[in-house]
Amino acid sequence: MTADPTHATPMNAPAPVSDLPALSLARLGAHLRGDGVDVVVVAAQADAVDLVLLEGTRDALTERRIGLMRARHGLWHAHVPGVVAGQRYGLRVHGAWNPAAGLMHNPHKLLLDPYARGVVGELDMVPEVFGHEVADVKRTDRDLGLPDSRDSAPFVPHGEIVPDPLDAEVEARLARRPRTPWSQTVIYEAHVRGLTLLREDIPEDLRGTYAGIAHPVMIDHLKRLGITALELLPIHASATEHAIAAAGRTNYWGYCTLGYLAPEPRYATAAARAAGGCAVEREVIDMVDALHAAGIEVILDVVYNHTCEGGMDGPLLSWRGLDNTGYYLHDGGSPARYADVTGTGNSLDFRRQRVVQLTLDSLRHWAGVIGVDGFRFDLAVTLGRKAGEFEPDHPFLVAMASDPVLADVKTIAEPWDVGPSGWRTGQFAPPMHEWNDRFRDAVRRFWLADASALSRGGGVPHDLRDLGTRISGSADMFHHFDRGPEASVNYVTAHDGFTLADLVSYDHKHNGANGENNRDGSNNNLSWNHGSEGPVDANSPAADILPVRRRSIRNVLGTLLVSSGTPMITAGDEFGRTQQGNNNAYCQDSPISWVNWRRSSSQLALERTVRYLLELRAANPALRPVRFAYGRPRSNEPLTDLSWFAEDGTEMSGSAWHNPHRRVLQMRRASGAAAHPRSMDADGLEQARDALVMINGALNEVDTVIAPSRGGGWELVWDSVWESPEELRDAAIATAVHPRPGERVTLEPLSMRIYLEQKPAR
């Protein structure tokens, strides 16, 4: 084999081509095979591709370049003996520089292998990392016509070769997956760093890391709370987009992928980072294994719709320098321009074979090797676009649904993007589940925005139809393709937007810390500060609103956890954390975004409430039905599967649903013998019970007639008036705890109750 051992060959001249072909072209990337490494790269329009083996520090890099052989279908490859795990590497691609035609090859720029499983080093946003001549990183769109001849290698992340795990190890790992049914799934969305960085009962060197999440303290919190699946904001290797970095900010959330098979090294412990990519990947695997041992699934938020390279004037880091027109969606015009349907500067083109292949290979790696249990797809509509339009049967979506490695993992779509006809909630085909923004808005509107309007003496233009539709499973959107209500991932807050505590404390966003003059973030928050903006001291004249704020939080959480569908809770909402009114904390790697675990007594009471509600949900199938209601009795059932009643105890009429002045609603769900066999407890008594949820969205007390039951009475198991579930033991009036159908009970203003069918006397 011939190879260039130094910089003796000019960087703009291809290195001598290896005379050893890769042992297999079946796997893209760099993989240890036999006495060395196989390297297979896609660069369909390149003239030559060099593998670059790196040694030394950034300040004193040396490189050995090996020219790759050309094969058919845009592949370049070689087998390189003597290469071992831990070797750092990159790629230099030779070819035409013609941005007007979409060609942006520049061998002076060291590119990251899209299939690298280890990524070391961080991106320095300096002029050298751009493919075209740039003097100031704040002004990069001046002239794309002149290629830059400065070496980017000291300023960009490098790939690292990671060995494949043993088959037996992978099989054992996959066998330990919890495989929680969707009907029992409760999702907890969190950021790896922000979740544990301030957790003082975790060792300091583990806080903010994968290992921190795997610590028994963190796992115990999730278990006691009743969480079955931890959904992590992106942990793929990432790099802050140049426009944000040039402004001195960082993309804390990580929705700016640099490597789809490599974990983000910043979230690993210092020891793992120092040891390299192998150790970082091992820390991720150990985290997944620890969560699985506790019965908790791991879902990854993944960003396949765009990359960190930004618009065409962005840095040249990987895909753009390999095959710009083969990876990115273009508008077909001349000069070449990206078709940006993601709002990030670029969109990956899912009409292209190599884009689909890379995405599937990445998913298979994380599910089939790392062992994660599912994926939440950011801006998933982009993944299903073909010729501009979204198609539920897009080849990528069909391939993913039918792939044997991915067949038993959970898949969740964020069902929108910013392109034409980009809102597609409810339009994905199974097995995909979807974030339900209509649920979010309906619950916020009823409990907060409409209540706020009432408190100011205004009218409420919204009737009860949307709320009833959402809490019963959103059949209008999900009752097709043989989907059940659990296809709707119900949420009221997520990483993007106000926290739950801020929803009840702020009428307006307060994003000044983001450095964008408060222009970023949504203005449509459907929030309510209850009369005073922001935090209120207990000794303040406005302190009387604090109990009402806390009740509003409990109303929102209670509604979420009795609704048909799959509930998702955002980290810290279980005890009311705040982001100080920031509803777009994407760039806040700061106490604004970190979860503060120093909880007040009222916060601990809220946490106990959430735990209690999740216990109720888990124990009572009527609170989590697996089928849509038909409005009639199921077989062998005397009760209609789902019934609605007004405050006078009569069934809701059509006119009542359309009346915006009505703010009281009763929802009765039969336990559903057909859908859920009524299981027996240790004494042989049936456990499954009918459920009655009573909601009062008015600002005044309402005397309400209890709805009919199966035959006996009802048992009050939760009232949102209670600061903590312990108040159930303090209920003084027996008829309030065990009312019979037809009896009157008084619902407090802005409150809700959960009743269960009264247990038979023993």
Side-chain angles (χ1 to χ4, degrees), residues 601-630:
S601 58
S602 62
Q603 286 180 306
L604 290 171
L606 176 59
E607 186 178 316
R608 293 195 299 275
T609 295
V610 175
R611 187 188 315 156
Y612 174 74
L613 287 171
L614 284 172
E615 288 172 354
L616 277 180
R617 181 184 176 88
N620 294 279
L623 297 178
R624 46 180 176 83
V626 298
R627 299 195 302 193
F628 286 111
Y630 288 108

PDB file of all heavy atoms in Angstrom, residues 601-630:
ATOM      1  N   SER A 601     -41.511  23.369  50.950  1.00  0.00           N
ATOM      2  CA  SER A 601     -42.521  22.425  51.442  1.00  0.00           C
ATOM      3  C   SER A 601     -43.681  22.313  50.465  1.00  0.00           C
ATOM      4  O   SER A 601     -44.227  21.225  50.252  1.00  0.00           O
ATOM      5  CB  SER A 601     -43.023  22.862  52.820  1.00  0.00           C
ATOM      6  OG  SER A 601     -43.576  24.177  52.759  1.00  0.00           O
ATOM      7  N   SER A 602     -44.075  23.435  49.850  1.00  0.00           N
ATOM      8  CA  SER A 602     -45.178  23.373  48.890  1.00  0.00           C
ATOM      9  C   SER A 602     -44.763  22.629  47.625  1.00  0.00           C
ATOM     10  O   SER A 602     -45.581  21.937  47.004  1.00  0.00           O
ATOM     11  CB  SER A 602     -45.662  24.784  48.542  1.00  0.00           C
ATOM     12  OG  SER A 602     -44.636  25.539  47.928  1.00  0.00           O
ATOM     13  N   GLN A 603     -43.497  22.739  47.247  1.00  0.00           N
ATOM     14  CA  GLN A 603     -43.028  21.985  46.086  1.00  0.00           C
ATOM     15  C   GLN A 603     -43.002  20.492  46.374  1.00  0.00           C
ATOM     16  O   GLN A 603     -43.358  19.679  45.522  1.00  0.00           O
ATOM     17  CB  GLN A 603     -41.637  22.468  45.666  1.00  0.00           C
ATOM     18  CG  GLN A 603     -41.631  23.826  44.980  1.00  0.00           C
ATOM     19  CD  GLN A 603     -40.233  24.250  44.577  1.00  0.00           C
ATOM     20  OE1 GLN A 603     -39.319  24.281  45.411  1.00  0.00           O
ATOM     21  NE2 GLN A 603     -40.060  24.583  43.321  1.00  0.00           N
ATOM     22  N   LEU A 604     -42.595  20.117  47.561  1.00  0.00           N
ATOM     23  CA  LEU A 604     -42.604  18.707  47.936  1.00  0.00           C
ATOM     24  C   LEU A 604     -44.027  18.168  47.992  1.00  0.00           C
ATOM     25  O   LEU A 604     -44.282  17.011  47.627  1.00  0.00           O
ATOM     26  CB  LEU A 604     -41.905  18.514  49.282  1.00  0.00           C
ATOM     27  CG  LEU A 604     -40.383  18.730  49.260  1.00  0.00           C
ATOM     28  CD1 LEU A 604     -39.826  18.725  50.675  1.00  0.00           C
ATOM     29  CD2 LEU A 604     -39.693  17.651  48.416  1.00  0.00           C
ATOM     30  N   ALA A 605     -44.970  19.009  48.422  1.00  0.00           N
ATOM     31  CA  ALA A 605     -46.374  18.587  48.439  1.00  0.00           C
ATOM     32  C   ALA A 605     -46.876  18.349  47.019  1.00  0.00           C
ATOM     33  O   ALA A 605     -47.610  17.380  46.759  1.00  0.00           O
ATOM     34  CB  ALA A 605     -47.229  19.645  49.128  1.00  0.00           C
ATOM     35  N   LEU A 606     -46.478  19.209  46.083  1.00  0.00           N
ATOM     36  CA  LEU A 606     -46.868  19.006  44.687  1.00  0.00           C
ATOM     37  C   LEU A 606     -46.263  17.720  44.142  1.00  0.00           C
ATOM     38  O   LEU A 606     -46.931  16.961  43.424  1.00  0.00           O
ATOM     39  CB  LEU A 606     -46.427  20.204  43.843  1.00  0.00           C
ATOM     40  CG  LEU A 606     -46.674  20.090  42.336  1.00  0.00           C
ATOM     41  CD1 LEU A 606     -48.157  19.897  42.042  1.00  0.00           C
ATOM     42  CD2 LEU A 606     -46.130  21.317  41.611  1.00  0.00           C
ATOM     43  N   GLU A 607     -45.027  17.450  44.493  1.00  0.00           N
ATOM     44  CA  GLU A 607     -44.388  16.220  44.033  1.00  0.00           C
ATOM     45  C   GLU A 607     -45.140  14.996  44.546  1.00  0.00           C
ATOM     46  O   GLU A 607     -45.337  14.020  43.808  1.00  0.00           O
ATOM     47  CB  GLU A 607     -42.936  16.189  44.508  1.00  0.00           C
ATOM     48  CG  GLU A 607     -42.132  15.023  43.982  1.00  0.00           C
ATOM     49  CD  GLU A 607     -40.688  15.074  44.445  1.00  0.00           C
ATOM     50  OE1 GLU A 607     -40.083  16.168  44.413  1.00  0.00           O
ATOM     51  OE2 GLU A 607     -40.161  14.016  44.829  1.00  0.00           O
ATOM     52  N   ARG A 608     -45.584  15.045  45.805  1.00  0.00           N
ATOM     53  CA  ARG A 608     -46.361  13.924  46.341  1.00  0.00           C
ATOM     54  C   ARG A 608     -47.690  13.783  45.600  1.00  0.00           C
ATOM     55  O   ARG A 608     -48.182  12.674  45.371  1.00  0.00           O
ATOM     56  CB  ARG A 608     -46.595  14.102  47.844  1.00  0.00           C
ATOM     57  CG  ARG A 608     -45.332  14.018  48.690  1.00  0.00           C
ATOM     58  CD  ARG A 608     -45.645  13.841  50.164  1.00  0.00           C
ATOM     59  NE  ARG A 608     -46.409  14.942  50.728  1.00  0.00           N
ATOM     60  CZ  ARG A 608     -45.873  16.076  51.198  1.00  0.00           C
ATOM     61  NH1 ARG A 608     -44.549  16.251  51.157  1.00  0.00           N
ATOM     62  NH2 ARG A 608     -46.628  17.019  51.713  1.00  0.00           N
ATOM     63  N   THR A 609     -48.271  14.919  45.198  1.00  0.00           N
ATOM     64  CA  THR A 609     -49.525  14.888  44.449  1.00  0.00           C
ATOM     65  C   THR A 609     -49.340  14.202  43.103  1.00  0.00           C
ATOM     66  O   THR A 609     -50.148  13.358  42.697  1.00  0.00           O
ATOM     67  CB  THR A 609     -50.059  16.314  44.245  1.00  0.00           C
ATOM     68  OG1 THR A 609     -50.412  16.875  45.518  1.00  0.00           O
ATOM     69  CG2 THR A 609     -51.274  16.327  43.335  1.00  0.00           C
ATOM     70  N   VAL A 610     -48.268  14.548  42.400  1.00  0.00           N
ATOM     71  CA  VAL A 610     -48.017  13.929  41.099  1.00  0.00           C
ATOM     72  C   VAL A 610     -47.794  12.431  41.262  1.00  0.00           C
ATOM     73  O   VAL A 610     -48.317  11.618  40.489  1.00  0.00           O
ATOM     74  CB  VAL A 610     -46.814  14.596  40.410  1.00  0.00           C
ATOM     75  CG1 VAL A 610     -46.472  13.885  39.113  1.00  0.00           C
ATOM     76  CG2 VAL A 610     -47.099  16.068  40.140  1.00  0.00           C
ATOM     77  N   ARG A 611     -47.029  12.062  42.280  1.00  0.00           N
ATOM     78  CA  ARG A 611     -46.787  10.645  42.540  1.00  0.00           C
ATOM     79  C   ARG A 611     -48.109   9.912  42.799  1.00  0.00           C
ATOM     80  O   ARG A 611     -48.354   8.822  42.273  1.00  0.00           O
ATOM     81  CB  ARG A 611     -45.850  10.497  43.732  1.00  0.00           C
ATOM     82  CG  ARG A 611     -45.376   9.084  44.003  1.00  0.00           C
ATOM     83  CD  ARG A 611     -44.611   9.017  45.325  1.00  0.00           C
ATOM     84  NE  ARG A 611     -43.671  10.114  45.451  1.00  0.00           N
ATOM     85  CZ  ARG A 611     -43.219  10.588  46.609  1.00  0.00           C
ATOM     86  NH1 ARG A 611     -43.646  10.066  47.753  1.00  0.00           N
ATOM     87  NH2 ARG A 611     -42.347  11.570  46.640  1.00  0.00           N
ATOM     88  N   TYR A 612     -48.957  10.534  43.586  1.00  0.00           N
ATOM     89  CA  TYR A 612     -50.245   9.937  43.926  1.00  0.00           C
ATOM     90  C   TYR A 612     -51.132   9.790  42.686  1.00  0.00           C
ATOM     91  O   TYR A 612     -51.762   8.744  42.464  1.00  0.00           O
ATOM     92  CB  TYR A 612     -50.928  10.798  44.988  1.00  0.00           C
ATOM     93  CG  TYR A 612     -52.328  10.375  45.336  1.00  0.00           C
ATOM     94  CD1 TYR A 612     -52.567   9.239  46.105  1.00  0.00           C
ATOM     95  CD2 TYR A 612     -53.429  11.113  44.900  1.00  0.00           C
ATOM     96  CE1 TYR A 612     -53.859   8.854  46.438  1.00  0.00           C
ATOM     97  CE2 TYR A 612     -54.719  10.745  45.222  1.00  0.00           C
ATOM     98  CZ  TYR A 612     -54.933   9.608  45.986  1.00  0.00           C
ATOM     99  OH  TYR A 612     -56.219   9.224  46.306  1.00  0.00           O
ATOM    100  N   LEU A 613     -51.177  10.835  41.855  1.00  0.00           N
ATOM    101  CA  LEU A 613     -52.001  10.771  40.649  1.00  0.00           C
ATOM    102  C   LEU A 613     -51.506   9.693  39.694  1.00  0.00           C
ATOM    103  O   LEU A 613     -52.305   9.002  39.054  1.00  0.00           O
ATOM    104  CB  LEU A 613     -52.010  12.131  39.953  1.00  0.00           C
ATOM    105  CG  LEU A 613     -52.823  13.235  40.638  1.00  0.00           C
ATOM    106  CD1 LEU A 613     -52.565  14.578  39.965  1.00  0.00           C
ATOM    107  CD2 LEU A 613     -54.312  12.911  40.615  1.00  0.00           C
ATOM    108  N   LEU A 614     -50.200   9.547  39.594  1.00  0.00           N
ATOM    109  CA  LEU A 614     -49.663   8.501  38.728  1.00  0.00           C
ATOM    110  C   LEU A 614     -49.951   7.114  39.293  1.00  0.00           C
ATOM    111  O   LEU A 614     -50.168   6.163  38.535  1.00  0.00           O
ATOM    112  CB  LEU A 614     -48.164   8.707  38.519  1.00  0.00           C
ATOM    113  CG  LEU A 614     -47.800   9.839  37.551  1.00  0.00           C
ATOM    114  CD1 LEU A 614     -46.303  10.109  37.559  1.00  0.00           C
ATOM    115  CD2 LEU A 614     -48.268   9.511  36.136  1.00  0.00           C
ATOM    116  N   GLU A 615     -49.968   6.993  40.614  1.00  0.00           N
ATOM    117  CA  GLU A 615     -50.354   5.714  41.216  1.00  0.00           C
ATOM    118  C   GLU A 615     -51.814   5.392  40.904  1.00  0.00           C
ATOM    119  O   GLU A 615     -52.160   4.246  40.574  1.00  0.00           O
ATOM    120  CB  GLU A 615     -50.133   5.759  42.731  1.00  0.00           C
ATOM    121  CG  GLU A 615     -48.670   5.741  43.152  1.00  0.00           C
ATOM    122  CD  GLU A 615     -48.495   5.974  44.644  1.00  0.00           C
ATOM    123  OE1 GLU A 615     -49.515   6.268  45.324  1.00  0.00           O
ATOM    124  OE2 GLU A 615     -47.364   5.871  45.137  1.00  0.00           O
ATOM    125  N   LEU A 616     -52.687   6.415  41.005  1.00  0.00           N
ATOM    126  CA  LEU A 616     -54.091   6.217  40.672  1.00  0.00           C
ATOM    127  C   LEU A 616     -54.243   5.769  39.225  1.00  0.00           C
ATOM    128  O   LEU A 616     -55.007   4.848  38.909  1.00  0.00           O
ATOM    129  CB  LEU A 616     -54.880   7.512  40.879  1.00  0.00           C
ATOM    130  CG  LEU A 616     -55.380   7.867  42.271  1.00  0.00           C
ATOM    131  CD1 LEU A 616     -56.129   9.192  42.221  1.00  0.00           C
ATOM    132  CD2 LEU A 616     -56.279   6.764  42.825  1.00  0.00           C
ATOM    133  N   ARG A 617     -53.514   6.449  38.337  1.00  0.00           N
ATOM    134  CA  ARG A 617     -53.600   6.120  36.919  1.00  0.00           C
ATOM    135  C   ARG A 617     -53.141   4.689  36.654  1.00  0.00           C
ATOM    136  O   ARG A 617     -53.785   3.950  35.903  1.00  0.00           O
ATOM    137  CB  ARG A 617     -52.763   7.115  36.112  1.00  0.00           C
ATOM    138  CG  ARG A 617     -52.791   6.886  34.609  1.00  0.00           C
ATOM    139  CD  ARG A 617     -51.865   7.841  33.867  1.00  0.00           C
ATOM    140  NE  ARG A 617     -51.846   7.542  32.450  1.00  0.00           N
ATOM    141  CZ  ARG A 617     -52.678   8.038  31.550  1.00  0.00           C
ATOM    142  NH1 ARG A 617     -53.611   8.903  31.938  1.00  0.00           N
ATOM    143  NH2 ARG A 617     -52.592   7.698  30.279  1.00  0.00           N
ATOM    144  N   ALA A 618     -52.033   4.299  37.273  1.00  0.00           N
ATOM    145  CA  ALA A 618     -51.502   2.961  37.049  1.00  0.00           C
ATOM    146  C   ALA A 618     -52.445   1.883  37.570  1.00  0.00           C
ATOM    147  O   ALA A 618     -52.564   0.806  36.967  1.00  0.00           O
ATOM    148  CB  ALA A 618     -50.132   2.828  37.710  1.00  0.00           C
ATOM    149  N   ALA A 619     -53.123   2.167  38.680  1.00  0.00           N
ATOM    150  CA  ALA A 619     -53.952   1.155  39.329  1.00  0.00           C
ATOM    151  C   ALA A 619     -55.352   1.052  38.751  1.00  0.00           C
ATOM    152  O   ALA A 619     -56.057   0.067  39.013  1.00  0.00           O
ATOM    153  CB  ALA A 619     -54.046   1.447  40.828  1.00  0.00           C
ATOM    154  N   ASN A 620     -55.773   2.039  37.957  1.00  0.00           N
ATOM    155  CA  ASN A 620     -57.156   2.071  37.491  1.00  0.00           C
ATOM    156  C   ASN A 620     -57.227   2.231  35.977  1.00  0.00           C
ATOM    157  O   ASN A 620     -57.049   3.331  35.448  1.00  0.00           O
ATOM    158  CB  ASN A 620     -57.901   3.224  38.172  1.00  0.00           C
ATOM    159  CG  ASN A 620     -58.049   3.012  39.659  1.00  0.00           C
ATOM    160  OD1 ASN A 620     -58.933   2.283  40.113  1.00  0.00           O
ATOM    161  ND2 ASN A 620     -57.169   3.631  40.429  1.00  0.00           N
ATOM    162  N   PRO A 621     -57.499   1.134  35.266  1.00  0.00           N
ATOM    163  CA  PRO A 621     -57.548   1.197  33.806  1.00  0.00           C
ATOM    164  C   PRO A 621     -58.549   2.203  33.265  1.00  0.00           C
ATOM    165  O   PRO A 621     -58.380   2.696  32.145  1.00  0.00           O
ATOM    166  CB  PRO A 621     -57.927  -0.238  33.413  1.00  0.00           C
ATOM    167  CG  PRO A 621     -57.446  -1.078  34.538  1.00  0.00           C
ATOM    168  CD  PRO A 621     -57.630  -0.245  35.770  1.00  0.00           C
ATOM    169  N   ALA A 622     -59.586   2.534  34.025  1.00  0.00           N
ATOM    170  CA  ALA A 622     -60.561   3.514  33.543  1.00  0.00           C
ATOM    171  C   ALA A 622     -59.937   4.889  33.357  1.00  0.00           C
ATOM    172  O   ALA A 622     -60.487   5.725  32.628  1.00  0.00           O
ATOM    173  CB  ALA A 622     -61.737   3.604  34.511  1.00  0.00           C
ATOM    174  N   LEU A 623     -58.799   5.142  33.998  1.00  0.00           N
ATOM    175  CA  LEU A 623     -58.112   6.426  33.841  1.00  0.00           C
ATOM    176  C   LEU A 623     -57.134   6.410  32.675  1.00  0.00           C
ATOM    177  O   LEU A 623     -56.519   7.440  32.378  1.00  0.00           O
ATOM    178  CB  LEU A 623     -57.373   6.784  35.133  1.00  0.00           C
ATOM    179  CG  LEU A 623     -58.255   6.985  36.366  1.00  0.00           C
ATOM    180  CD1 LEU A 623     -57.393   7.289  37.593  1.00  0.00           C
ATOM    181  CD2 LEU A 623     -59.276   8.091  36.142  1.00  0.00           C
ATOM    182  N   ARG A 624     -56.973   5.262  32.012  1.00  0.00           N
ATOM    183  CA  ARG A 624     -56.040   5.162  30.877  1.00  0.00           C
ATOM    184  C   ARG A 624     -56.570   4.164  29.842  1.00  0.00           C
ATOM    185  O   ARG A 624     -55.954   3.147  29.555  1.00  0.00           O
ATOM    186  CB  ARG A 624     -54.645   4.742  31.356  1.00  0.00           C
ATOM    187  CG  ARG A 624     -54.634   3.582  32.335  1.00  0.00           C
ATOM    188  CD  ARG A 624     -53.231   3.189  32.779  1.00  0.00           C
ATOM    189  NE  ARG A 624     -53.277   2.141  33.775  1.00  0.00           N
ATOM    190  CZ  ARG A 624     -53.403   0.842  33.516  1.00  0.00           C
ATOM    191  NH1 ARG A 624     -53.468   0.438  32.257  1.00  0.00           N
ATOM    192  NH2 ARG A 624     -53.437  -0.045  34.491  1.00  0.00           N
ATOM    193  N   PRO A 625     -57.738   4.426  29.274  1.00  0.00           N
ATOM    194  CA  PRO A 625     -58.347   3.471  28.332  1.00  0.00           C
ATOM    195  C   PRO A 625     -57.482   3.241  27.100  1.00  0.00           C
ATOM    196  O   PRO A 625     -56.770   4.146  26.648  1.00  0.00           O
ATOM    197  CB  PRO A 625     -59.668   4.140  27.957  1.00  0.00           C
ATOM    198  CG  PRO A 625     -59.472   5.578  28.264  1.00  0.00           C
ATOM    199  CD  PRO A 625     -58.550   5.639  29.430  1.00  0.00           C
ATOM    200  N   VAL A 626     -57.545   2.043  26.571  1.00  0.00           N
ATOM    201  CA  VAL A 626     -56.733   1.688  25.408  1.00  0.00           C
ATOM    202  C   VAL A 626     -57.532   1.742  24.114  1.00  0.00           C
ATOM    203  O   VAL A 626     -56.976   1.546  23.037  1.00  0.00           O
ATOM    204  CB  VAL A 626     -56.130   0.276  25.568  1.00  0.00           C
ATOM    205  CG1 VAL A 626     -55.206   0.235  26.769  1.00  0.00           C
ATOM    206  CG2 VAL A 626     -57.220  -0.781  25.673  1.00  0.00           C
ATOM    207  N   ARG A 627     -58.837   2.013  24.227  1.00  0.00           N
ATOM    208  CA  ARG A 627     -59.663   2.100  23.027  1.00  0.00           C
ATOM    209  C   ARG A 627     -60.480   3.381  23.062  1.00  0.00           C
ATOM    210  O   ARG A 627     -60.811   3.895  24.133  1.00  0.00           O
ATOM    211  CB  ARG A 627     -60.606   0.893  22.919  1.00  0.00           C
ATOM    212  CG  ARG A 627     -59.875  -0.431  22.813  1.00  0.00           C
ATOM    213  CD  ARG A 627     -60.773  -1.545  22.345  1.00  0.00           C
ATOM    214  NE  ARG A 627     -61.934  -1.734  23.213  1.00  0.00           N
ATOM    215  CZ  ARG A 627     -62.727  -2.813  23.156  1.00  0.00           C
ATOM    216  NH1 ARG A 627     -62.468  -3.770  22.284  1.00  0.00           N
ATOM    217  NH2 ARG A 627     -63.750  -2.926  23.950  1.00  0.00           N
ATOM    218  N   PHE A 628     -60.813   3.870  21.888  1.00  0.00           N
ATOM    219  CA  PHE A 628     -61.691   5.025  21.817  1.00  0.00           C
ATOM    220  C   PHE A 628     -63.097   4.628  22.238  1.00  0.00           C
ATOM    221  O   PHE A 628     -63.555   3.504  21.980  1.00  0.00           O
ATOM    222  CB  PHE A 628     -61.721   5.598  20.400  1.00  0.00           C
ATOM    223  CG  PHE A 628     -60.471   6.341  20.024  1.00  0.00           C
ATOM    224  CD1 PHE A 628     -59.604   5.835  19.064  1.00  0.00           C
ATOM    225  CD2 PHE A 628     -60.154   7.551  20.630  1.00  0.00           C
ATOM    226  CE1 PHE A 628     -58.444   6.515  18.717  1.00  0.00           C
ATOM    227  CE2 PHE A 628     -59.001   8.237  20.291  1.00  0.00           C
ATOM    228  CZ  PHE A 628     -58.149   7.728  19.333  1.00  0.00           C
ATOM    229  N   ALA A 629     -63.784   5.570  22.884  1.00  0.00           N
ATOM    230  CA  ALA A 629     -65.154   5.321  23.316  1.00  0.00           C
ATOM    231  C   ALA A 629     -66.106   5.395  22.125  1.00  0.00           C
ATOM    232  O   ALA A 629     -65.890   6.155  21.180  1.00  0.00           O
ATOM    233  CB  ALA A 629     -65.556   6.342  24.378  1.00  0.00           C
ATOM    234  N   TYR A 630     -67.179   4.601  22.211  1.00  0.00           N
ATOM    235  CA  TYR A 630     -68.201   4.604  21.173  1.00  0.00           C
ATOM    236  C   TYR A 630     -69.498   5.256  21.640  1.00  0.00           C
ATOM    237  O   TYR A 630     -70.450   5.369  20.871  1.00  0.00           O
ATOM    238  CB  TYR A 630     -68.486   3.170  20.717  1.00  0.00           C
ATOM    239  CG  TYR A 630     -67.362   2.573  19.905  1.00  0.00           C
ATOM    240  CD1 TYR A 630     -66.555   1.576  20.440  1.00  0.00           C
ATOM    241  CD2 TYR A 630     -67.097   3.007  18.611  1.00  0.00           C
ATOM    242  CE1 TYR A 630     -65.513   1.020  19.703  1.00  0.00           C
ATOM    243  CE2 TYR A 630     -66.059   2.463  17.868  1.00  0.00           C
ATOM    244  CZ  TYR A 630     -65.271   1.472  18.417  1.00  0.00           C
ATOM    245  OH  TYR A 630     -64.235   0.941  17.682  1.00  0.00           O
TER     246      TYR A 630
END
